[in-house]
Amino acid sequence: MSSEITIVVNPTAGRGRGAHAARPAASALRAAGFQVRTVVGSSAADALTRARAAVAEGTGALVAVGGDGMVNLALQAVAGTRTPLGVVAVGTGNDFARTLGLPIRDPAAAGRITADALKGARLRDVDLGRVGDHWFGTVLASGFDSRVNDRGNRMRWPAGRLKYDLAMLAELAAFRPFPYRITLDGGETREIEATLVAVGNGASYGGGMRICPGADPTDGLFDVTVVGDCGRATLLRVFPSVYRGGHVRHPKVSVYRAARVELAADGVTGYADGEPLGPLPLTARCVPGAVRIVGP
């Protein structure tokens, strides 16, 4: 393994925490004897181009500093290669790090863990989801939650999480279930009315909402959580239990496991790791051991 490590940074992650977090993470790696090169792209596309170039040049590891969006970008560079991925989670959601038991908003600790794991070759292969040529690590969201994302992304004010709280209230006011067509592992297509369908490689999204609480990123399968045609009142009662995963016990919620999931619904956008994929229909495949993770 090369002793040169590449750090790729989102300077805007966590309201500026990304840029500050790169320093203690890099210091921990240098203290362990690694050479560190930092990549800050002028845009997401530029950062990805630079990250891919570093992987092609044989960097010893790619370390993503930021939130789930930065991790998602880094996955596009390392998935399917043997280049290890380190994560310094300092964004808003940090669900990929949470799924893997990595430090959250503690860049010095994350840097030390990354350095120690690289020196001790403590690496593990985990699964990823893939839609077309795009990889994701946590959850593919569609339905009510993706409509909230759509609305929040259109809002210029307020900033941060409050924007999405307001977007959720607005979507609740206009709420209706969506007619879905769902096919699992090439079997019979189910036609159902659903509030949302979440395809989980990891357990959580949105900063700890355990929408797919049983998902295991090493079992070669997605957990598919389908929230049925519940009304506003039921949705408001069930929603708080998502943070502990208790919603899966509600009679309107079903959970399936599959390696290939085909979703179709009119007027619904798919989001993976919080990033827009495009309108349904979409097909997601679980790819076993697609990325090598640096960690405890």
Side-chain angles (χ1 to χ4, degrees):
M1 177 186 296
S2 169
S3 64
E4 182 181 86
I5 305 302
T6 302
I7 291 180
V8 58
V9 182
N10 178 359
T12 65
R15 301 182 187 179
R17 284 193 295 267
H20 294 294
R23 299 189 192 105
S27 294
L29 287 161
R30 290 191 180 102
F34 292 100
Q35 297 176 321
V36 178
R37 178 174 60 162
T38 300
V39 168
V40 182
S42 58
S43 64
D46 182 51
L48 178 54
T49 296
R50 293 169 182 261
R52 282 176 167 157
V55 170
E57 291 163 7
T59 188
L62 188 69
V63 179
V65 180
D68 287 324
M70 192 72 246
V71 172
N72 184 269
L73 183 147
L75 288 175
Q76 312 315 309
V78 298
T81 76
R82 305 318 292 160
T83 302
L85 174 67
V87 178
V88 178
V90 291
T92 303
N94 305 311
D95 288 289
F96 190 74
R98 186 175 284 107
T99 290
L100 299 176
L102 299 172
I104 293 172
R105 299 195 184 99
D106 190 344
R112 289 192 299 270
I113 285 173
T114 300
D116 291 346
L118 286 171
K119 289 184 79 71
R122 292 193 300 278
L123 309 173
R124 49 181 166 154
D125 293 339
V126 302
D127 307 338
L128 293 177
R130 192 170 191 181
V131 176
D133 60 358
H134 191 90
W135 301 90
F136 68 94
T138 57
V139 177
L140 189 167
S142 71
F144 175 74
D145 44 6
S146 65
R147 280 290 183 90
V148 170
N149 263 323
D150 286 341
R151 184 180 289 270
N153 290 342
R154 293 193 301 268
M155 294 169 62
R156 297 187 177 183
W157 182 92
R161 190 175 294 277
L162 178 58
K163 175 168 67 174
Y164 292 94
D165 290 341
L166 293 177
M168 181 178 294
L169 291 174
E171 283 301 320
L172 275 171
F175 173 74
R176 59 175 176 78
F178 305 95
Y180 272 90
R181 298 178 300 283
I182 305 172
T183 308
L184 305 178
D185 288 333
E188 181 181 353
T189 297
R190 297 173 169 88
E191 296 190 6
I192 61 172
E193 295 279 324
T195 301
L196 65 87
V197 179
V199 180
N201 182 58
S204 68
Y205 65 178
M209 291 189 287
R210 294 177 58 80
I211 188 69
C212 300
D216 177 354
T218 62
D219 66 359
L221 296 171
F222 294 124
D223 273 31
V224 184
T225 300
V226 179
V227 179
D229 59 344
C230 56
R232 291 188 191 90
T234 300
L235 185 59
L236 285 170
R237 285 196 305 272
V238 171
F239 181 78
S241 67
V242 172
Y243 283 94
R244 60 182 184 275
H247 62 291
V248 296
R249 294 190 291 273
H250 193 277
K252 287 287 189 180
V253 179
S254 302
V255 178
Y256 307 93
R257 288 191 169 90
R260 179 184 173 95
V261 181
E262 299 170 55
L263 298 177
D266 293 336
V268 175
T269 303
Y271 282 77
D273 296 340
E275 302 296 309
L277 290 176
L280 272 56
L282 294 171
T283 298
R285 295 185 296 112
C286 185
V287 182
V291 65
R292 180 157 285 182
I293 297 294
V294 180

